[in-house]
Amino acid sequence: MSNRSIARVILVAIAIVAVLYFLYLIRNVLWLLFIAVFLAVALGPLVESINRHGVPRSLSIVLVYLGLLLSVFGLGLLVVPPIVSGVNKFVNHVPGYVTDLRKSKAFRKYDNKYHITPKLEDEAKKLPSHLTDAVSGLRSVTVGVFSKIIQLVTILVMAFFLLNDGKRILGFLFRELGPVRAARAGRIMEDVYRAVGGYVAGNILISIIAGVTAYIMMTILGLPFAVPLAVLVAFLDLIPLVGSTIAGVVVAIVAAIVGFPGKLIAWVIYLIVYQQLENNLLQPVIYKRTVAIHPLIVIVAVLVGGSLLGILGALLAIPVAATVQIVVKEWWAFRRERLLPTPPPADAPAEA
């Protein structure tokens, strides 16, 4: 190799390393942009449905944002007050619950030996103060919460511009690729757009099923706050892997307070059975219809995404898997077109 070629290779290597290092430095910004793109694609069908009714696109985006805000606010009003009221009642009745334990012969036997009741009564009297300390401790995370709010606002602003001007930006980029590549890139983006929209619709459908079945089970068991707890189950079920478990634990606490151990055992059995059905039946079947990927790919993608990036990886696993599948299909079709022999022109002279 000549000195010029060696110098070119070294400069290219240095440039690649510099670009990678720069991307590493702005990784947080890129992550926020990635989330904003995903949010824009997820909200795109809803914005377009409002826009088709004659509402300006920017106003359609604002209406969708307001709908999301009102949904979260309404969920808080529906779920938080009953739970707070129930917790307060539970705290006030804890000393009585400790006293009632003395009615059990088995407990009374160990209590006389190890003096459990006096210790529980002391802790029960301290419980309100512990809750106060916990509430005051929440103030220490105010700065962290504020920074997260700023990040959320940044994501929403970027998603707003992507929803409003995303098609024009993509159109400009596709035109620079040339007519053939632009058509292929446009097909890929349309398929990815439909796949992500289908994933969001499927996730919402699964969450609704989780909330309805949880409400039916809580009604059968006679648990209080069935409606707000069912809404909480549906909302948390949107979070893959741990969402339904967190909601199930909250309901299990209520079941333990109301009817220990019978109602608690019944709820735990229901929760285990439903999670198995949701993970191995509902999700693969529904995502096969809404995202058009095989159920086996759904299960493997969720497991791989969860193992790599945790909750967020599981949340993005199915859209990423659908995108990879679409790109591979388009590349395979392009490869087959290149391998097929080109037909002769119609006006070519026939061979003798």
Side-chain angles (χ1 to χ4, degrees):
M1 296 178 62
S2 63
N3 293 335
R4 184 176 182 180
S5 299
I6 295 175
R8 185 183 299 109
V9 171
I10 294 175
L11 290 176
V12 170
I14 293 175
I16 293 175
V17 172
V19 170
L20 293 177
Y21 181 68
F22 176 73
L23 294 178
Y24 173 78
L25 293 177
I26 63 171
R27 61 190 183 278
N28 293 330
V29 178
L30 295 177
W31 187 243
L32 294 179
L33 179 60
F34 177 78
I35 298 176
V37 171
F38 179 79
L39 181 63
V41 174
L43 297 179
L46 187 58
V47 171
E48 290 181 355
S49 64
I50 298 176
N51 189 25
R52 282 195 294 267
H53 289 82
V55 182
R57 190 169 183 84
S58 58
L59 181 58
S60 302
I61 302 171
V62 173
L63 291 177
V64 171
Y65 279 7
L66 288 177
L68 293 176
L69 179 62
L70 292 177
S71 299
V72 175
F73 183 72
L75 177 66
L77 290 180
L78 183 63
V79 174
V80 174
I83 293 179
V84 171
S85 176
V87 170
N88 290 333
K89 291 181 181 178
F90 172 73
V91 170
N92 294 330
H93 289 83
V94 164
Y97 296 149
V98 174
T99 304
D100 292 340
L101 289 175
R102 289 286 301 176
K103 298 178 182 179
S104 172
K105 292 182 180 180
F107 179 80
R108 190 162 55 244
K109 175 183 176 181
Y110 291 100
D111 186 33
N112 294 331
K113 185 177 181 180
Y114 298 105
H115 307 289
I116 300 174
T117 300
K119 298 177 182 178
L120 290 177
E121 289 177 346
D122 292 339
E123 293 299 325
K125 293 177 182 178
K126 296 177 183 178
L127 187 57
S129 62
H130 291 333
L131 290 177
T132 303
D133 295 338
V135 173
S136 61
L138 292 176
R139 300 171 186 171
S140 61
V141 299
T142 302
V143 176
V145 172
F146 183 71
S147 64
K148 296 299 182 183
I149 292 176
I150 293 178
Q151 290 183 358
L152 177 61
V153 172
T154 303
I155 292 172
L156 292 177
V157 171
M158 289 191 294
F160 177 88
F161 288 114
L162 290 172
L163 285 168
N164 197 40
D165 301 321
K167 289 187 175 181
R168 287 195 291 269
I169 295 174
L170 289 176
F172 170 77
L173 295 177
F174 290 164
R175 285 194 298 271
E176 298 299 319
L177 297 175
V180 177
R181 293 181 178 178
R184 185 177 302 113
R187 287 196 302 269
I188 293 175
M189 292 305 301
E190 287 294 332
D191 292 340
V192 171
Y193 184 76
R194 285 195 297 268
V196 175
Y199 166 72
V200 173
N203 200 3
I204 294 175
L205 177 59
I206 294 172
S207 299
I208 293 174
I209 294 174
V212 171
T213 53
Y215 172 77
I216 294 173
M217 186 62 187
M218 285 186 285
T219 302
I220 294 173
L221 295 177
L223 299 183
F225 316 123
V227 173
L229 287 176
V231 175
L232 181 65
V233 168
F235 180 76
L236 291 179
D237 194 73
L238 293 170
I239 305 173
L241 295 182
V242 298
S244 60
T245 303
I246 295 174
V249 170
V250 173
V251 179
I253 294 174
V254 177
I257 295 173
V258 174
F260 181 86
K263 294 183 178 181
L264 175 61
I265 294 175
W267 172 259
V268 171
I269 293 174
Y270 157 79
L271 182 62
I272 294 174
V273 172
Y274 177 78
Q275 284 186 342
Q276 295 301 315
L277 291 175
E278 179 181 295
N279 295 334
N280 299 298
L281 181 63
L282 278 180
Q283 286 186 356
V285 171
I286 291 178
Y287 287 141
K288 179 182 179 181
R289 295 180 176 274
T290 58
V291 190
I293 58 178
H294 195 274
L296 179 61
I297 299 178
V298 173
I299 297 175
V300 173
V302 172
L303 292 176
V304 172
S307 63
L308 293 178
L309 296 176
I311 298 174
L312 191 58
L315 180 65
L316 300 177
I318 297 175
V320 171
T323 302
V324 172
Q325 177 179 269
I326 291 169
V327 173
V328 169
K329 283 184 176 180
E330 187 66 30
W331 173 81
W332 187 258
F334 171 71
R335 185 173 178 273
R336 290 184 61 185
E337 290 177 0
R338 293 188 61 183
L339 293 177
L340 290 176
T342 304
D347 55 352
E351 295 183 0

